[in-house]
Amino acid sequence: MVIASIAAVVLIGAALVVHGWPRYSPPPQPTAAQGLASGPPSASPSGAATPLPPATPTRVRIPVIGVNAPLTGLSLLANGHLDAPPEADRNLAGWYQAGITPGESGTAVIAGHVDNTQGPAVFYNLGALKKGWTIDVDRADHTTAVFTIDAVQAYAASSFPTQQVYGQTADPELRLITCGAGFDKSRQEYLGNVVVFAHLTGSTRSKSV
């Protein structure tokens, strides 16, 4: 199953759609306790770190769910949709390279497949993440941006909150997105998306630099 596309609204919007039916257990979905209590996260999240300068992200790491994946740049297609990472590579995610780089002020976006025809893919367990857990994004300037999760939310495609997810913020924030929110067997597609909201809480620098 593959991510299809997301329309360009603000940064990018709409829903990621996947086709097919898994021959394995459905991906975990976030509980209500992990969602946004009301509205978007605070404009000034507790513990927000100083923004980093722009630098190309190279890898996303979430050890608690076994994610350690290289990143590829994603661009918009002629129809205004975001291209998807190559579906054949199960351990590959992509970032919207015309937008914010993870760590600088604003909202950065990383998308990944939930699965493909071979089985679970890089963001299969995204829905199992919890508030307060961390996400590391390695960058080409030899820094690692550390983000703390504020919420994990599932959205139906029919009610995807584009501005809430992709709207720009004063602080450095990150959104991870994949398919989820249930599966329609008759249409052979997921019903929406799982979105992780996170904000920058620190950074580290490679000792070799």
PDB file of all heavy atoms in Angstrom, residues 27-31 34 65 114 123-130 133 152-154 178-180 194-196:
ATOM      1  N   PRO A  27      -2.324  -1.198  11.193  1.00  0.00           N
ATOM      2  CA  PRO A  27      -1.393  -0.358  11.949  1.00  0.00           C
ATOM      3  C   PRO A  27      -2.064   0.216  13.186  1.00  0.00           C
ATOM      4  O   PRO A  27      -3.271   0.469  13.189  1.00  0.00           O
ATOM      5  CB  PRO A  27      -1.022   0.746  10.952  1.00  0.00           C
ATOM      6  CG  PRO A  27      -2.163   0.785   9.996  1.00  0.00           C
ATOM      7  CD  PRO A  27      -2.639  -0.628   9.868  1.00  0.00           C
ATOM      8  N   PRO A  28      -1.321   0.431  14.272  1.00  0.00           N
ATOM      9  CA  PRO A  28      -1.910   1.007  15.487  1.00  0.00           C
ATOM     10  C   PRO A  28      -2.408   2.418  15.224  1.00  0.00           C
ATOM     11  O   PRO A  28      -1.835   3.155  14.416  1.00  0.00           O
ATOM     12  CB  PRO A  28      -0.747   0.996  16.479  1.00  0.00           C
ATOM     13  CG  PRO A  28       0.484   0.982  15.634  1.00  0.00           C
ATOM     14  CD  PRO A  28       0.128   0.199  14.418  1.00  0.00           C
ATOM     15  N   GLN A  29      -3.494   2.775  15.918  1.00  0.00           N
ATOM     16  CA  GLN A  29      -4.065   4.110  15.803  1.00  0.00           C
ATOM     17  C   GLN A  29      -3.995   4.810  17.156  1.00  0.00           C
ATOM     18  O   GLN A  29      -4.088   4.172  18.205  1.00  0.00           O
ATOM     19  CB  GLN A  29      -5.516   4.031  15.329  1.00  0.00           C
ATOM     20  CG  GLN A  29      -5.683   3.377  13.967  1.00  0.00           C
ATOM     21  CD  GLN A  29      -4.967   4.141  12.867  1.00  0.00           C
ATOM     22  OE1 GLN A  29      -5.326   5.257  12.521  1.00  0.00           O
ATOM     23  NE2 GLN A  29      -3.925   3.526  12.306  1.00  0.00           N
ATOM     24  N   PRO A  30      -3.812   6.127  17.161  1.00  0.00           N
ATOM     25  CA  PRO A  30      -3.691   6.840  18.441  1.00  0.00           C
ATOM     26  C   PRO A  30      -4.985   6.818  19.231  1.00  0.00           C
ATOM     27  O   PRO A  30      -6.081   6.800  18.660  1.00  0.00           O
ATOM     28  CB  PRO A  30      -3.333   8.266  18.006  1.00  0.00           C
ATOM     29  CG  PRO A  30      -3.864   8.381  16.615  1.00  0.00           C
ATOM     30  CD  PRO A  30      -3.705   7.029  16.001  1.00  0.00           C
ATOM     31  N   THR A  31      -4.844   6.820  20.546  1.00  0.00           N
ATOM     32  CA  THR A  31      -6.012   6.892  21.421  1.00  0.00           C
ATOM     33  C   THR A  31      -6.407   8.351  21.614  1.00  0.00           C
ATOM     34  O   THR A  31      -5.632   9.278  21.340  1.00  0.00           O
ATOM     35  CB  THR A  31      -5.709   6.277  22.794  1.00  0.00           C
ATOM     36  OG1 THR A  31      -4.689   7.067  23.439  1.00  0.00           O
ATOM     37  CG2 THR A  31      -5.209   4.840  22.644  1.00  0.00           C
ATOM     38  N   GLN A  34      -4.070  10.695  23.457  1.00  0.00           N
ATOM     39  CA  GLN A  34      -2.868  11.216  22.803  1.00  0.00           C
ATOM     40  C   GLN A  34      -3.174  12.354  21.828  1.00  0.00           C
ATOM     41  O   GLN A  34      -2.268  12.949  21.257  1.00  0.00           O
ATOM     42  CB  GLN A  34      -2.141  10.092  22.063  1.00  0.00           C
ATOM     43  CG  GLN A  34      -1.713   8.949  22.946  1.00  0.00           C
ATOM     44  CD  GLN A  34      -0.904   9.386  24.151  1.00  0.00           C
ATOM     45  OE1 GLN A  34      -0.043  10.252  24.040  1.00  0.00           O
ATOM     46  NE2 GLN A  34      -1.202   8.819  25.313  1.00  0.00           N
ATOM     47  N   ILE A  65       9.883   3.178  18.378  1.00  0.00           N
ATOM     48  CA  ILE A  65       9.089   2.365  17.451  1.00  0.00           C
ATOM     49  C   ILE A  65       9.953   1.795  16.317  1.00  0.00           C
ATOM     50  O   ILE A  65       9.431   1.340  15.301  1.00  0.00           O
ATOM     51  CB  ILE A  65       7.885   3.137  16.879  1.00  0.00           C
ATOM     52  CG1 ILE A  65       8.338   4.403  16.141  1.00  0.00           C
ATOM     53  CG2 ILE A  65       6.862   3.455  17.958  1.00  0.00           C
ATOM     54  CD1 ILE A  65       7.219   5.070  15.334  1.00  0.00           C
ATOM     55  N   VAL A 114       2.798   3.969   5.288  1.00  0.00           N
ATOM     56  CA  VAL A 114       2.410   3.103   6.396  1.00  0.00           C
ATOM     57  C   VAL A 114       2.713   1.648   6.039  1.00  0.00           C
ATOM     58  O   VAL A 114       3.048   0.833   6.902  1.00  0.00           O
ATOM     59  CB  VAL A 114       0.919   3.300   6.765  1.00  0.00           C
ATOM     60  CG1 VAL A 114      -0.011   2.817   5.664  1.00  0.00           C
ATOM     61  CG2 VAL A 114       0.581   2.606   8.085  1.00  0.00           C
ATOM     62  N   PHE A 123       6.495   4.189   8.563  1.00  0.00           N
ATOM     63  CA  PHE A 123       5.638   4.843   9.549  1.00  0.00           C
ATOM     64  C   PHE A 123       4.465   3.967   9.979  1.00  0.00           C
ATOM     65  O   PHE A 123       3.433   4.464  10.438  1.00  0.00           O
ATOM     66  CB  PHE A 123       5.130   6.175   9.008  1.00  0.00           C
ATOM     67  CG  PHE A 123       6.146   7.307   9.114  1.00  0.00           C
ATOM     68  CD1 PHE A 123       5.909   8.537   8.521  1.00  0.00           C
ATOM     69  CD2 PHE A 123       7.333   7.143   9.819  1.00  0.00           C
ATOM     70  CE1 PHE A 123       6.826   9.579   8.620  1.00  0.00           C
ATOM     71  CE2 PHE A 123       8.262   8.165   9.925  1.00  0.00           C
ATOM     72  CZ  PHE A 123       8.007   9.393   9.321  1.00  0.00           C
ATOM     73  N   TYR A 124       4.633   2.652   9.879  1.00  0.00           N
ATOM     74  CA  TYR A 124       3.568   1.725  10.252  1.00  0.00           C
ATOM     75  C   TYR A 124       3.120   1.908  11.700  1.00  0.00           C
ATOM     76  O   TYR A 124       1.928   1.834  12.017  1.00  0.00           O
ATOM     77  CB  TYR A 124       4.056   0.287  10.043  1.00  0.00           C
ATOM     78  CG  TYR A 124       3.016  -0.768  10.292  1.00  0.00           C
ATOM     79  CD1 TYR A 124       2.041  -1.040   9.347  1.00  0.00           C
ATOM     80  CD2 TYR A 124       3.023  -1.517  11.469  1.00  0.00           C
ATOM     81  CE1 TYR A 124       1.084  -2.021   9.566  1.00  0.00           C
ATOM     82  CE2 TYR A 124       2.073  -2.495  11.699  1.00  0.00           C
ATOM     83  CZ  TYR A 124       1.104  -2.744  10.742  1.00  0.00           C
ATOM     84  OH  TYR A 124       0.167  -3.713  10.968  1.00  0.00           O
ATOM     85  N   ASN A 125       4.067   2.167  12.607  1.00  0.00           N
ATOM     86  CA  ASN A 125       3.746   2.266  14.034  1.00  0.00           C
ATOM     87  C   ASN A 125       3.612   3.706  14.534  1.00  0.00           C
ATOM     88  O   ASN A 125       3.648   3.947  15.741  1.00  0.00           O
ATOM     89  CB  ASN A 125       4.811   1.535  14.855  1.00  0.00           C
ATOM     90  CG  ASN A 125       4.680   0.028  14.751  1.00  0.00           C
ATOM     91  OD1 ASN A 125       3.596  -0.517  14.935  1.00  0.00           O
ATOM     92  ND2 ASN A 125       5.775  -0.638  14.437  1.00  0.00           N
ATOM     93  N   LEU A 126       3.424   4.654  13.612  1.00  0.00           N
ATOM     94  CA  LEU A 126       3.331   6.055  14.010  1.00  0.00           C
ATOM     95  C   LEU A 126       2.203   6.283  15.012  1.00  0.00           C
ATOM     96  O   LEU A 126       2.330   7.074  15.951  1.00  0.00           O
ATOM     97  CB  LEU A 126       3.100   6.927  12.770  1.00  0.00           C
ATOM     98  CG  LEU A 126       3.701   8.332  12.796  1.00  0.00           C
ATOM     99  CD1 LEU A 126       5.217   8.269  12.880  1.00  0.00           C
ATOM    100  CD2 LEU A 126       3.265   9.115  11.564  1.00  0.00           C
ATOM    101  N   GLY A 127       1.106   5.579  14.843  1.00  0.00           N
ATOM    102  CA  GLY A 127      -0.044   5.751  15.731  1.00  0.00           C
ATOM    103  C   GLY A 127       0.191   5.269  17.145  1.00  0.00           C
ATOM    104  O   GLY A 127      -0.625   5.552  18.034  1.00  0.00           O
ATOM    105  N   ALA A 128       1.288   4.566  17.393  1.00  0.00           N
ATOM    106  CA  ALA A 128       1.593   4.076  18.739  1.00  0.00           C
ATOM    107  C   ALA A 128       2.405   5.078  19.555  1.00  0.00           C
ATOM    108  O   ALA A 128       2.667   4.848  20.741  1.00  0.00           O
ATOM    109  CB  ALA A 128       2.364   2.752  18.652  1.00  0.00           C
ATOM    110  N   LEU A 129       2.820   6.180  18.940  1.00  0.00           N
ATOM    111  CA  LEU A 129       3.621   7.176  19.666  1.00  0.00           C
ATOM    112  C   LEU A 129       2.804   7.860  20.745  1.00  0.00           C
ATOM    113  O   LEU A 129       1.574   7.944  20.669  1.00  0.00           O
ATOM    114  CB  LEU A 129       4.173   8.216  18.685  1.00  0.00           C
ATOM    115  CG  LEU A 129       5.222   7.697  17.704  1.00  0.00           C
ATOM    116  CD1 LEU A 129       5.599   8.778  16.705  1.00  0.00           C
ATOM    117  CD2 LEU A 129       6.462   7.214  18.455  1.00  0.00           C
ATOM    118  N   LYS A 130       3.495   8.375  21.764  1.00  0.00           N
ATOM    119  CA  LYS A 130       2.846   9.007  22.908  1.00  0.00           C
ATOM    120  C   LYS A 130       3.368  10.426  23.120  1.00  0.00           C
ATOM    121  O   LYS A 130       4.499  10.753  22.754  1.00  0.00           O
ATOM    122  CB  LYS A 130       3.107   8.194  24.186  1.00  0.00           C
ATOM    123  CG  LYS A 130       2.770   6.714  24.089  1.00  0.00           C
ATOM    124  CD  LYS A 130       1.296   6.470  23.940  1.00  0.00           C
ATOM    125  CE  LYS A 130       0.997   4.961  23.954  1.00  0.00           C
ATOM    126  NZ  LYS A 130      -0.434   4.679  23.686  1.00  0.00           N
ATOM    127  N   TRP A 133       7.233  11.690  24.121  1.00  0.00           N
ATOM    128  CA  TRP A 133       8.304  10.932  23.497  1.00  0.00           C
ATOM    129  C   TRP A 133       9.023  11.825  22.483  1.00  0.00           C
ATOM    130  O   TRP A 133       8.504  12.876  22.097  1.00  0.00           O
ATOM    131  CB  TRP A 133       7.757   9.679  22.810  1.00  0.00           C
ATOM    132  CG  TRP A 133       7.249   8.640  23.772  1.00  0.00           C
ATOM    133  CD1 TRP A 133       7.219   8.735  25.139  1.00  0.00           C
ATOM    134  CD2 TRP A 133       6.691   7.375  23.446  1.00  0.00           C
ATOM    135  NE1 TRP A 133       6.684   7.594  25.685  1.00  0.00           N
ATOM    136  CE2 TRP A 133       6.345   6.743  24.667  1.00  0.00           C
ATOM    137  CE3 TRP A 133       6.436   6.711  22.254  1.00  0.00           C
ATOM    138  CZ2 TRP A 133       5.769   5.473  24.714  1.00  0.00           C
ATOM    139  CZ3 TRP A 133       5.862   5.447  22.287  1.00  0.00           C
ATOM    140  CH2 TRP A 133       5.540   4.830  23.509  1.00  0.00           C
ATOM    141  N   VAL A 152      -0.749  13.077  19.060  1.00  0.00           N
ATOM    142  CA  VAL A 152      -0.832  12.143  17.943  1.00  0.00           C
ATOM    143  C   VAL A 152      -2.310  11.982  17.637  1.00  0.00           C
ATOM    144  O   VAL A 152      -3.090  11.581  18.506  1.00  0.00           O
ATOM    145  CB  VAL A 152      -0.208  10.775  18.284  1.00  0.00           C
ATOM    146  CG1 VAL A 152      -0.167   9.885  17.042  1.00  0.00           C
ATOM    147  CG2 VAL A 152       1.187  10.939  18.870  1.00  0.00           C
ATOM    148  N   GLN A 153      -2.705  12.318  16.433  1.00  0.00           N
ATOM    149  CA  GLN A 153      -4.126  12.436  16.115  1.00  0.00           C
ATOM    150  C   GLN A 153      -4.441  11.729  14.803  1.00  0.00           C
ATOM    151  O   GLN A 153      -3.658  11.784  13.855  1.00  0.00           O
ATOM    152  CB  GLN A 153      -4.484  13.917  15.976  1.00  0.00           C
ATOM    153  CG  GLN A 153      -5.952  14.215  15.794  1.00  0.00           C
ATOM    154  CD  GLN A 153      -6.681  14.377  17.111  1.00  0.00           C
ATOM    155  OE1 GLN A 153      -6.137  14.927  18.067  1.00  0.00           O
ATOM    156  NE2 GLN A 153      -7.906  13.913  17.168  1.00  0.00           N
ATOM    157  N   ALA A 154      -5.600  11.065  14.754  1.00  0.00           N
ATOM    158  CA  ALA A 154      -6.099  10.468  13.514  1.00  0.00           C
ATOM    159  C   ALA A 154      -7.207  11.361  12.963  1.00  0.00           C
ATOM    160  O   ALA A 154      -8.061  11.835  13.715  1.00  0.00           O
ATOM    161  CB  ALA A 154      -6.625   9.062  13.761  1.00  0.00           C
ATOM    162  N   THR A 178       1.183   9.979   7.985  1.00  0.00           N
ATOM    163  CA  THR A 178       1.048   8.751   7.228  1.00  0.00           C
ATOM    164  C   THR A 178      -0.431   8.432   7.100  1.00  0.00           C
ATOM    165  O   THR A 178      -1.288   9.180   7.582  1.00  0.00           O
ATOM    166  CB  THR A 178       1.827   7.595   7.896  1.00  0.00           C
ATOM    167  OG1 THR A 178       1.965   6.520   6.963  1.00  0.00           O
ATOM    168  CG2 THR A 178       1.129   7.095   9.159  1.00  0.00           C
ATOM    169  N   CYS A 179      -0.757   7.321   6.461  1.00  0.00           N
ATOM    170  CA  CYS A 179      -2.152   6.935   6.295  1.00  0.00           C
ATOM    171  C   CYS A 179      -2.671   6.209   7.529  1.00  0.00           C
ATOM    172  O   CYS A 179      -1.918   5.589   8.272  1.00  0.00           O
ATOM    173  CB  CYS A 179      -2.300   6.038   5.078  1.00  0.00           C
ATOM    174  SG  CYS A 179      -1.814   6.836   3.550  1.00  0.00           S
ATOM    175  N   GLY A 180      -3.973   6.299   7.740  1.00  0.00           N
ATOM    176  CA  GLY A 180      -4.581   5.638   8.886  1.00  0.00           C
ATOM    177  C   GLY A 180      -6.036   6.011   9.019  1.00  0.00           C
ATOM    178  O   GLY A 180      -6.724   6.220   8.023  1.00  0.00           O
ATOM    179  N   VAL A 194      -2.862   9.644  10.046  1.00  0.00           N
ATOM    180  CA  VAL A 194      -2.341   9.810  11.400  1.00  0.00           C
ATOM    181  C   VAL A 194      -1.309  10.929  11.325  1.00  0.00           C
ATOM    182  O   VAL A 194      -0.438  10.908  10.454  1.00  0.00           O
ATOM    183  CB  VAL A 194      -1.695   8.517  11.930  1.00  0.00           C
ATOM    184  CG1 VAL A 194      -0.951   8.778  13.236  1.00  0.00           C
ATOM    185  CG2 VAL A 194      -2.759   7.444  12.133  1.00  0.00           C
ATOM    186  N   VAL A 195      -1.436  11.904  12.220  1.00  0.00           N
ATOM    187  CA  VAL A 195      -0.538  13.058  12.240  1.00  0.00           C
ATOM    188  C   VAL A 195       0.099  13.183  13.618  1.00  0.00           C
ATOM    189  O   VAL A 195      -0.599  13.122  14.637  1.00  0.00           O
ATOM    190  CB  VAL A 195      -1.283  14.363  11.911  1.00  0.00           C
ATOM    191  CG1 VAL A 195      -0.319  15.555  11.937  1.00  0.00           C
ATOM    192  CG2 VAL A 195      -1.964  14.265  10.552  1.00  0.00           C
ATOM    193  N   VAL A 196       1.413  13.353  13.646  1.00  0.00           N
ATOM    194  CA  VAL A 196       2.143  13.598  14.888  1.00  0.00           C
ATOM    195  C   VAL A 196       2.524  15.075  14.935  1.00  0.00           C
ATOM    196  O   VAL A 196       3.115  15.603  13.986  1.00  0.00           O
ATOM    197  CB  VAL A 196       3.415  12.730  14.974  1.00  0.00           C
ATOM    198  CG1 VAL A 196       4.223  13.080  16.230  1.00  0.00           C
ATOM    199  CG2 VAL A 196       3.051  11.258  14.968  1.00  0.00           C
TER     200      VAL A 196
END
